[in-house]
């Protein structure tokens, strides 16, 4: 059965800000089940047999693209890769025409990674049958990364309610940080965001969703002391070229997450990094490979989360959220989008 237009609002995944806590919980529950299933021998099901998923990655990606493809294939969907180069986008076709073309061919779900913030929010209302999943849009959101971060923690027995988390690094440009902030606070975590002033936008505290909270500091010791979880963000080289980080050496001295710092400030804390890592810049290489690091478990959890997200995206009818609750979620999302824009 094709998804019908009414169900699409509950099939798109544009950002964490769009999701109700009940939807988040369901995705994590299904993701947890998928993680157990994926750990078995050669998992293969036909839950999505006959569904077509296009992976439109118009920006570089390793983990996100490949894990969506593995998730789709494990669930029996047909997956097709579309890149900017070699497609009609190269000939100047608009993104909307490209997206409509895919919809007209009967594609069930498009996973889109794009440099423009909010691109999915523009496209989604123009779609009638095809669902849209945000694989990372500019500096806006990366919802499946946040979901996999929380799933990786849960699989280690760490739940976000009341959790103290530090997010360190290039927050201003990070879609991962935004989605993590929305998700972790919605689930009750208390997050301290930390980085040099040039990489921390104003207004971050206003992005917190109840019952969690967000505090901001430029001092790494403040942020990491007492944190159970530290999320290191990639220092984006393009930012350094723009002069926002005067010197890598200063950054490393002030903000690199190292095994010694962690041991001293917050013994037993876990470290996450969305990848790709700059070893020796935002994270000490030795720490990235230590038992405190969840980096590889994050990648594994990513396949499971994407199984849940694709199931929701392709079988919307079974995941539909009541219209009133959906309308409320949309109001919240608009508020969060405005707050995020103000913060950037
Ligand atoms: C991130 C991204 O592309 O937003 N990577 C990822 O998807 N795991 C983070 C980054 O590039 O810094």
């Amino acid at each position: 059965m094709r998804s019908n237009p009414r169900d699409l609002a509950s099939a798109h995944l544009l950002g964490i800000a769009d999701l109700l806590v009940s939807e988040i919980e369901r995705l994590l529950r299904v993701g947890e089940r998928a993680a157990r299933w994926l750990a078995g021998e050669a998992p293969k099901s036909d839950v999505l047999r006959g569904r077509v998923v296009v992976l439109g990655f118009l920006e570089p990606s390793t983990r996100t693209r490949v894990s969506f493809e593995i998730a789709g294939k494990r669930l029996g969907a047909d997956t097709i890769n579309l890149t900017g180069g070699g497609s009609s986008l190269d000939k100047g076709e608009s993104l909307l025409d490209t997206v409509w073309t895919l919809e007209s061919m009967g594609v069930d779900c498009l996973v889109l990674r794009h440099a423009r913030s909010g691109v999915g929010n523009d496209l989604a209302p123009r779609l009638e049958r095809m669902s849209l999943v945000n694989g990372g849009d500019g500096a806006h959101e990366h919802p499946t990364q946040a979901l996999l971060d929380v799933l990786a923690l849960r699989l280690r027995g760490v739940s976000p309610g009341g959790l103290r988390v530090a997010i360190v690094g290039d927050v201003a440009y990070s879609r991962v940080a935004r989605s993590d902030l929305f998700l972790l606070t919605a689930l009750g975590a208390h997050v301290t965001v930390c980085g040099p002033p040039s990489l921390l936008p104003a207004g971050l505290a206003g992005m917190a969703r109840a019952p969690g909270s967000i505090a901001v500091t430029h001092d790494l010791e403040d942020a990491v002391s007492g944190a159970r979880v530290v999320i290191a963000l990639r220092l984006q080289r393009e930012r350094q070229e723009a002069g926002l980080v005067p010197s890598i050496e200063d950054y490393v001295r002030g903000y690199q997450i190292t095994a010694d710092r962690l041991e001293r400030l917050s013994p037993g804390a876990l470290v996450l990094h969305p990848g790709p890592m700059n070893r020796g810049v935002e994270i000490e290489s030795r720490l990235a490979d230590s038992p405190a690091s969840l980096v590889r478990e994050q990648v594994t959890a990513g396949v499971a989360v994407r199984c849940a997200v694709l199931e929701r995206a392709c079988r919307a009818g079974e995941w539909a959220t009541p219209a009133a609750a959906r309308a409320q979620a949309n109001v919240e999302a608009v508020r969060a989008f405005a707050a995020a824009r103000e913060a950037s």
Side-chain angles (χ1 to χ4, degrees), residues 218-301:
H218 303 307
D219 184 313
L220 186 68
E221 302 226 343
D222 273 1
V224 173
S225 297
R228 174 82 177 91
V229 170
V230 179
I231 302 178
L233 299 172
R234 180 169 73 93
L235 182 65
Q236 321 235 351
R237 276 182 206 290
E238 51 279 24
R239 314 282 290 161
Q240 199 230 332
E241 279 154 23
L244 285 167
V245 184
S247 103
I248 296 284
E249 292 70 32
D250 280 358
Y251 184 85
V252 167
R253 224 181 346 267
Y255 297 102
Q256 186 185 82
I257 311 299
T258 67
D260 286 349
R261 276 180 163 156
L262 217 58
E263 198 43 48
R264 185 165 56 81
L265 298 170
S266 194
L270 298 169
V271 180
L272 278 70
H273 190 302
M277 289 186 283
N278 295 309
R279 287 174 180 264
V281 181
E282 67 270 0
I283 187 166
E284 183 189 30
S285 191
R286 176 166 74 96
L287 177 62
D289 301 326
S290 79
S293 163
L294 255 64
V295 170
R296 297 179 65 143
E297 286 160 60
Q298 285 173 272
V299 176
T300 305

Side-chain angles (χ1 to χ4, degrees), residues 63-64 113 142 145 175-176 234 236 274-276:
R63 280 149 274 269
T64 308
R113 169 167 289 195
H142 192 347
Q145 178 68 45
R175 52 197 177 205
V176 175
R234 180 169 73 93
Q236 321 235 351

